[in-house]
Amino acid sequence: MQIINDIIAVIPDLNKAFFETFYMLSISVFLSALLGIPLGILLYTSQHDLLGEKPWLNRIIGFVVNVIRSTPFVILLVALIPFTSWIAGTIVGPKAAVVPLTVAAIPFYARLVEGSLKEINRGVIEAALAMGSTLWHIIYKVLLVEARSGLIIGLTVTTISLLGFSAMAGIVGGGGIGDLAIRFGYYRFDNTIMFTTLVILIVIVQLIQAIGDRLAKKLDKR
Amino acid sequence: MIELRHLTKTYHTKGKTITAVHDVSFTINRGEIFGIVGYSGAGKSSLLRCLNMLEKPTSGQVLIDQTDLTKLSGDQLRQVRQSIGMIFQHFNLMANRTVAGNIAYAMEVAGKGKEEIAARIQELLDLVGLSDKANAFPSELSGGQKQRVGIARALANSPKVLLCDEATSALDPMTTSSILELLREINRKLGLTIVLITHEMHVVKEICHRVAIMANGHVLEEGDVYQIFAKPRQQLTKQFVRTVIDVQLPDHLLEPKAESELVRISLLAEQAEKPMFEKLIRSFQVQANILHGKIEYIQGRPLAVFILELTGEQQERLKALAYLQQETAETEVIPYANHQ
Ligand SMILES: Nc1ncnc2c1ncn2[C@@H]1O[C@H](COP(=O)(O)OP(=O)(O)OP(=O)(O)O)[C@@H](O)[C@H]1O
Ligand SMILES: [Mg+2]
């Protein structure tokens, strides 16, 4: 009984946390798709001999991507504070948390995009070139279409990683479900709340994965 | 219509230099089916891919209708490529586009309108015999059907030239025949110039008008297909020709015999009509047994190969051989098996 009462008591908190998570994820996932896909394409084409390779460009982008990816999220979060303040106008709250989340997610997703583009058969690109395609045709009519299910799977993975990162966004008062779990479970030893939020997180992850997998499968005609 | 002048293609990889195509020059006429044969690594693909600049030639020129492709800018080259269709050994279709979508792509690239594209797709599917597959995805098709889609796609922009890179090498013999038949039909109906590369001489025999034999980046021999089959000059050409029209004797007939000789002769259409054997036996003191024989039709013209056993005194045999040499396309003494 006590357990149920405890949970009921925390429902408003959970509710708020859920919307904070939704807010942070939706914006950062959207932005990382918007910017990660072009970046992934650039990583791919800049090292593809048929698509006008530019080794120097590839090395520069690859280096920047690797630097961001090898920085622990908490450090990135702190290091980005001036940038966050400039972009979001604040350095606390979900709105501020979106900035480091997006910055971390873009290179992460870009690498996944690059990976799924690499699965495209070289012959398909040759055929497209032989038909007189421009680079632009190849990007949006060949690469994006042939790699689409890989892009979805990558975005699923990115979303789930962001959910994990967003728990740490509590440091800047980002809030969200993960933050709730840390605050109640880790700092206050409140197991009930911790397990409740954990269950919610697990359900969300399962849901995102299931939706992503289904969509990817549906789009995959290979 | 297509002219290669001193075409050379060199690859540099990991400090090694490979000359895949070495100073090749020849001309392909409008409306003909031109074959390029050679063993693996001979440089066939490299040569073919120079024809639409998928590989940039290291030196030399590629002229199509007097336009030197090696001198074109990127935009001009893309324009020209729309008038050169290409099909591939592994089809290279887009997996996530339907049959219609794959064909449409070629026309989208060429900036055609939606309605024009839709109408043309139907036309092309009828031509290649896939009218009911417009909405199928490549993964739902057989190899032969995929190649038909490849052909439809290559023809979408009504090209002048069709390049075929081992177009039938991934297909079974029945399907190969049907695809070759389709290519021949396209060549006849549309007057399309076809350049195809293959390592199978029987593909050449089936549909080519002229052929070039390639080895180590060089063109060894080039000419009319019937001529090449009838009178191959180079050793390699002979090897290739024999993959199609060879006759093999069983071992026991290769046992040495006194006063006799095995002779392999090949006869052209007009030679086969003369009463040659009769004259041979009447004019010389020899007996001639036909041990083996075969007639192949190449471009509708017969080419016959026989193995004769000539028996008689050496003097007479030599005279008979000289006579054969003169009356046949090729006469060659087959050595007896000399096993101890
Ligand atoms: N992109 C490349 N880089 C380096 N070497 C290459 C490249 N393409 C071909 N070669 C080399 O050039 C030579 C000719 O190759 P090519 O593919 O033209 O031969 P091919 O006659 O088409 O052979 P196959 O019948 O096996 O397709 C080979 O030695 C090959 O290793
Ligand atoms: Mg090849």
Side-chain angles (χ1 to χ4, degrees), chain A residues 71-121:
Chain A
T71 310
F73 183 67
V74 182
I75 296 177
L76 195 67
L77 195 70
V78 176
L80 282 175
I81 284 176
F83 180 68
T84 302
S85 154
W86 180 62
I87 294 272
T90 169
I91 57 163
V92 291
K95 199 173 159 194
V98 165
V99 177
L101 285 175
T102 307
V103 170
I106 290 171
F108 182 78
Y109 185 45
R111 281 292 186 206
L112 297 179
V113 169
E114 183 194 7
S116 34
L117 292 175
K118 276 184 176 166
E119 277 177 30
I120 297 172
N121 187 344

Side-chain angles (χ1 to χ4, degrees), chain A residues 123 126 133 141 145-146 221, chain B residues 49 92 95-96 105 108 139:
Chain A
E126 274 184 2
S133 309
K141 282 174 186 282
V145 176
E146 290 297 281
K221 306 293 181 189
Chain B
R49 295 156 57 84
N92 296 348
N96 285 338
Y105 178 81
E108 289 167 16
S139 61

Side-chain angles (χ1 to χ4, degrees), chain A residues 105-161:
Chain A
I106 290 171
F108 182 78
Y109 185 45
R111 281 292 186 206
L112 297 179
V113 169
E114 183 194 7
S116 34
L117 292 175
K118 276 184 176 166
E119 277 177 30
I120 297 172
N121 187 344
R122 184 185 164 82
V124 172
I125 295 169
E126 274 184 2
L129 283 172
M131 284 182 260
S133 309
T134 58
L135 181 60
W136 180 240
H137 285 136
I138 292 183
I139 289 171
Y140 85 109
K141 282 174 186 282
V142 181
L143 299 184
L144 290 181
V145 176
E146 290 297 281
R148 63 191 183 190
S149 64
L151 298 190
I152 297 290
I153 289 171
L155 201 60
T156 308
V157 173
T158 307
T159 308
I160 291 171
S161 302

Side-chain angles (χ1 to χ4, degrees), chain B residues 78-90:
Chain B
R78 276 192 288 278
Q79 208 71 40
V80 169
R81 279 175 174 167
Q82 287 166 15
S83 64
I84 305 174
M86 188 169 193
I87 59 175
F88 305 85
Q89 178 173 7
H90 298 294

